[in-house]
Amino acid sequence: MKPVYFPFTTIAEPALTAVAACFGPPVIYQAWGRIPEFLAKWAEEGRMDIRVPIAGDENHLDRVLHEFRQWPEAHRGADTRFFKTQRQTIPFFNESSRTQILRDIRTRADEKPAAPPTDPLFDSRLFLQIAQQWDLQNQEVDQDLKALQSCEMALQRHMKGPEESELSVERSSDPLQDLGSHMTLERLRAWARIMAGAEEIPGLLVTDSPAVFEAVLEKIPQPRRLLRQEGISSDSGLQASRETFLKNLEKLASEKDFAGRELSGPGTGSTGNISLELYLAPESSAMDIFARFFDRPDEFRKICKAPPMHLHTLIACVQWV
């Protein structure tokens, strides 16, 4: 059973380490075949598995992405109430020309509802690419902030001494921001559409976004919490315990009667700083879960290309603590 990281198409290195510590190298879907260089490098090193469920239209996507990047400069200072009218479609991603986007801003500023998308799959892939750029920018900001904190800690040690500066370090250490809290529903819908084109439907969904995790659990009629564990270590010496953990998850997701089964999590260590929360969606495939995010669930289920491989679906959230 391979963990599938969602609903993102990029991952920060701390999140990658945390997911791998619990479940091994994750699968990460891409919206097109042009993979960021650092992700391709990690895939070559065996740290992740990159898959592109839906391919084609790369040149068209590239043209629209170029227009998107040019739009802010071309319309600096324009009335942005238009963006608030985009409820049923990916915000302003339908149109591929700046002229049409500007026309929409002028005609929809009175907050009239937007027309439905003509190609939901293309719009979803475009959204995921734009979201990827936004996520990468914010991850870079996080890295810069962490670097700044490290400099501040070094300065504190130099000026105050190690004992006094240690207290200040604890107060200044902030967790990574939850990127999934931005446009959560849109992310889940867009990612679900490309997941539906995968060769196999995932049985283990993993995120590091509490907002995404909460949104998914709310769509499961009777979620069952299997495990909550802290102090998980990324120590390679705990590989055997992780493999046993995954084998138990495979059995759990496939057995009709899972009542009473005790589950031991991945290995912990004295330096472990990773937490894991794991739930089971009884008799629900990933398609069943994500279909509930759409106004017409049955129509979404029809676009799936592969049958589910597991009777139940496992949903996990990993965090640095």
Side-chain angles (χ1 to χ4, degrees), residues 21 231-244 266-270 272:
I232 299 170
S233 173
S234 58
D235 188 346
S236 60
L238 299 173
Q239 180 65 23
S241 64
R242 282 191 283 274
E243 291 177 355
T244 300
T268 58
S270 58

Side-chain angles (χ1 to χ4, degrees), residues 103-117:
R103 186 182 302 126
D104 281 341
I105 290 175
R106 290 170 177 166
T107 58
R108 301 184 192 184
D110 58 357
E111 300 194 3
K112 293 180 180 179

Side-chain angles (χ1 to χ4, degrees), residues 68 82-83 86 89-94 127 130 183 186:
F68 172 80
F82 161 73
F83 302 121
Q86 303 293 291
T89 184
I90 304 300
F92 65 90
F93 300 165
N94 294 6
F127 173 85
I130 294 173
M183 301 186 75
E186 290 83 356

Side-chain angles (χ1 to χ4, degrees), residues 63-223:
R63 286 196 300 271
V64 180
L65 282 168
H66 176 75
E67 294 290 344
F68 172 80
R69 295 188 192 100
Q70 297 298 317
W71 188 89
E73 291 298 323
H75 304 295
R76 187 180 296 277
D79 188 345
T80 57
R81 282 182 293 165
F82 161 73
F83 302 121
K84 299 178 182 178
T85 70
Q86 303 293 291
R87 295 291 184 246
Q88 300 302 320
T89 184
I90 304 300
F92 65 90
F93 300 165
N94 294 6
E95 310 298 341
S96 60
S97 86
R98 294 173 302 198
T99 302
Q100 184 62 46
I101 291 173
L102 182 57
R103 186 182 302 126
D104 281 341
I105 290 175
R106 290 170 177 166
T107 58
R108 301 184 192 184
D110 58 357
E111 300 194 3
K112 293 180 180 179
T118 55
D119 188 348
L121 181 56
F122 181 87
D123 288 348
S124 294
R125 295 173 67 198
L126 178 59
F127 173 85
L128 290 172
Q129 282 304 113
I130 294 173
Q132 184 185 81
Q133 295 173 5
W134 188 86
D135 292 340
L136 289 172
Q137 290 173 357
N138 280 274
Q139 288 170 9
E140 185 175 351
V141 169
D142 272 334
Q143 292 172 358
D144 291 343
L145 288 174
K146 293 295 183 184
L148 179 60
Q149 286 182 351
S150 297
C151 292
E152 290 176 346
M153 287 186 281
L155 182 61
Q156 287 174 0
R157 291 190 186 97
H158 179 73
M159 297 180 64
K160 299 180 179 180
E163 292 184 0
E164 189 175 350
S165 65
E166 186 176 348
L167 299 175
S168 302
V169 168
E170 291 181 359
R171 289 194 296 270
S172 65
S173 181
D174 297 321
L176 296 175
Q177 61 178 311
D178 182 2
L179 299 180
S181 64
H182 179 67
M183 301 186 75
T184 306
L185 177 60
E186 290 83 356
R187 285 178 183 270
L188 288 165
R189 285 176 172 172
W191 189 89
R193 285 195 176 101
I194 67 166
M195 178 204 70
E199 294 182 356
E200 58 184 57
I201 301 302
L204 173 57
L205 298 166
V206 184
T207 187
D208 63 333
S209 166
V212 166
F213 191 56
E214 181 179 351
V216 171
L217 290 181
E218 287 178 354
K219 293 296 182 179
I220 301 172
Q222 293 181 322

